[in-house]
Amino acid sequence: MTTTHPNALRKIVIVGGGSAGWISAAMLSHYFQNGGCAVELVESEEIGTIGVGESTIPPFLQLLASLGVDERDFIQATQASFKLGIRFEDWKQKGQRYYHPFGAIGGPIGPHEFYQCWLRAKANGHPSNLQDFAPGTVMADQWKFIPPVKAQRTLIAGASYALHVDARLVARFLRDYAEARGVKRTEGIVTDVVTHPDGSVAKVVMKDGREVEGDLFIDCTGFRSLLIGKTLDVPFNDWSDMLLCDRAVVVQTENVGAPHPYTVSKAEDAGWRWRIPLQHRAGNGYVFSSRHLSDDEARATLVQNVEGQMLMNPMFIAFKTGMRRRLWDKNVVAVGLAGGFIEPLESTALHLIYRGMDFLLRFMPDRDFDPALAAEYNRRMTADYEEIRDFIVLHYCTTQRDDTPFWRDVRNAPIPDSLRERMALFQAQGVLREGVDDMFRNPSWQSVMEGMGVRPRRYQQLVDTVPYEVITQTLDQSAPILAAQVAGLPSHGEFLEKHCPAPKPETVVAPFGAVA
């Protein structure tokens, strides 16, 4: 005789669609496709969806794999191109650029981390640059691409990659996936939320009077934050004193030539601009501080610098950097923009949606909603948001620019204590604090630190146990070998055309391209 959970959830209601809603629905449908809990998503075509996406980080591919989605099919359906990292321009100083690549930089030399060995070589005058040994950077800089798994037993195998995607097409793809596995979609605008006496949510009421009841509610209402914010009134931790940008203007353009396999982030007078090429168009935007730049000036800067014909009128969106003090409160879990927002400098928004749902599945409650589950969920998600905040602040607080009021104010902005501690540890001996679940691994911190001119005062003494000739021989041989291996690869455009070409869309409209 088998037994079932005596107090299991009977129904989960997702309020809101877009990337957050349909990623949530797809993940839930995968786990509940054999029954056990009904999943219903309520959204309205009348409410515009912010295109939270366009640029992802490598763990996004883990989401696709966990859902059993064929990567090639997904790429073609979402007009995707490949992303080997981010190219930062004018961040340290005007005229300087560097890459933050995905994947490894070099490989261990004996028992020692490559970075420490490279630091020793630099201390002795070696002329190499750190990114000479990053296969992701070398491929990106030459506009080459091949999946690292297809380059085993070469130095290219250490690279990793993500995708540039059309966020609206991602939502459409995952909607089809979720509905095929039993998720019910209800069209309608939610105008009211009814709560139980203990304050938890009982049901949502739509404009036409229909009601949707549930046990667990997932708030995917974007910046409106209808459930976690307006209904439960969970306080908001405001981080806008550390990150000054609070507004963005965006536009889509036709591609000029083949797409490059990286995201461009170019620092401007009052923020930064991005360019993200898909297979048949590009997303462009300017994230800026409204205290330092007017909308008209921001629009003019963006329009003057885009490549290709504009496919829409530039659109603006305001945002506040920070997160809800609790992303899970009572029987509501906030996913995506409803729970928090950090500017898209490192393309983390889609990942936070995936992480939020992944942790929810790990700590899935029953109808008792044991507070210990919510407490651990909130601890883990807060750690994720704070890690991303610190990593973004790192790009700003290490700048040497002081040529505009914005950059002078950036240099005077407060730095989180957690970041100060990370930087002090790194500057001492190149050591990095790394947790089991950290999003950004050592090569990411090393790349941004080096790119922004922050180098440890000394390397670790234990590296002296390696004969210096072994280190220099490794450096002198591996960089040209890597460069030669990359030179023989197909271009990014050629690889897309041969292996996963996407049909050209008839129309393309999305309001907020690169927030990811």
PDB file of all heavy atoms in Angstrom, residues 11 312 367 459:
ATOM      1  N   LYS A  11      -2.659  23.295  -5.649  1.00  0.00           N
ATOM      2  CA  LYS A  11      -2.648  24.196  -6.795  1.00  0.00           C
ATOM      3  C   LYS A  11      -1.652  25.328  -6.582  1.00  0.00           C
ATOM      4  O   LYS A  11      -1.614  25.945  -5.507  1.00  0.00           O
ATOM      5  CB  LYS A  11      -4.039  24.787  -7.043  1.00  0.00           C
ATOM      6  CG  LYS A  11      -4.120  25.638  -8.314  1.00  0.00           C
ATOM      7  CD  LYS A  11      -5.538  26.077  -8.565  1.00  0.00           C
ATOM      8  CE  LYS A  11      -5.642  26.897  -9.842  1.00  0.00           C
ATOM      9  NZ  LYS A  11      -7.030  27.373 -10.075  1.00  0.00           N
ATOM     10  N   MET A 312      12.209  50.035 -34.117  1.00  0.00           N
ATOM     11  CA  MET A 312      11.184  50.521 -33.197  1.00  0.00           C
ATOM     12  C   MET A 312      11.605  51.895 -32.727  1.00  0.00           C
ATOM     13  O   MET A 312      12.751  52.314 -32.924  1.00  0.00           O
ATOM     14  CB  MET A 312      11.069  49.577 -31.989  1.00  0.00           C
ATOM     15  CG  MET A 312      12.381  49.404 -31.239  1.00  0.00           C
ATOM     16  SD  MET A 312      12.322  48.301 -29.811  1.00  0.00           S
ATOM     17  CE  MET A 312      11.641  49.390 -28.584  1.00  0.00           C
ATOM     18  N   ARG A 367       1.050  22.544   2.489  1.00  0.00           N
ATOM     19  CA  ARG A 367       0.102  23.613   2.852  1.00  0.00           C
ATOM     20  C   ARG A 367       0.330  24.155   4.259  1.00  0.00           C
ATOM     21  O   ARG A 367      -0.262  25.161   4.645  1.00  0.00           O
ATOM     22  CB  ARG A 367      -1.344  23.124   2.690  1.00  0.00           C
ATOM     23  CG  ARG A 367      -1.695  22.796   1.246  1.00  0.00           C
ATOM     24  CD  ARG A 367      -3.209  22.760   0.998  1.00  0.00           C
ATOM     25  NE  ARG A 367      -3.921  21.846   1.868  1.00  0.00           N
ATOM     26  CZ  ARG A 367      -4.051  20.537   1.649  1.00  0.00           C
ATOM     27  NH1 ARG A 367      -3.465  19.986   0.580  1.00  0.00           N
ATOM     28  NH2 ARG A 367      -4.745  19.781   2.475  1.00  0.00           N
ATOM     29  N   TYR A 459      52.164  37.551  -5.107  1.00  0.00           N
ATOM     30  CA  TYR A 459      51.603  36.223  -5.335  1.00  0.00           C
ATOM     31  C   TYR A 459      51.853  35.364  -4.097  1.00  0.00           C
ATOM     32  O   TYR A 459      52.603  35.734  -3.189  1.00  0.00           O
ATOM     33  CB  TYR A 459      52.210  35.587  -6.590  1.00  0.00           C
ATOM     34  CG  TYR A 459      53.713  35.417  -6.545  1.00  0.00           C
ATOM     35  CD1 TYR A 459      54.295  34.266  -6.013  1.00  0.00           C
ATOM     36  CD2 TYR A 459      54.565  36.407  -7.044  1.00  0.00           C
ATOM     37  CE1 TYR A 459      55.680  34.110  -5.960  1.00  0.00           C
ATOM     38  CE2 TYR A 459      55.943  36.263  -7.008  1.00  0.00           C
ATOM     39  CZ  TYR A 459      56.492  35.112  -6.459  1.00  0.00           C
ATOM     40  OH  TYR A 459      57.859  34.958  -6.410  1.00  0.00           O
TER      41      TYR A 459
END
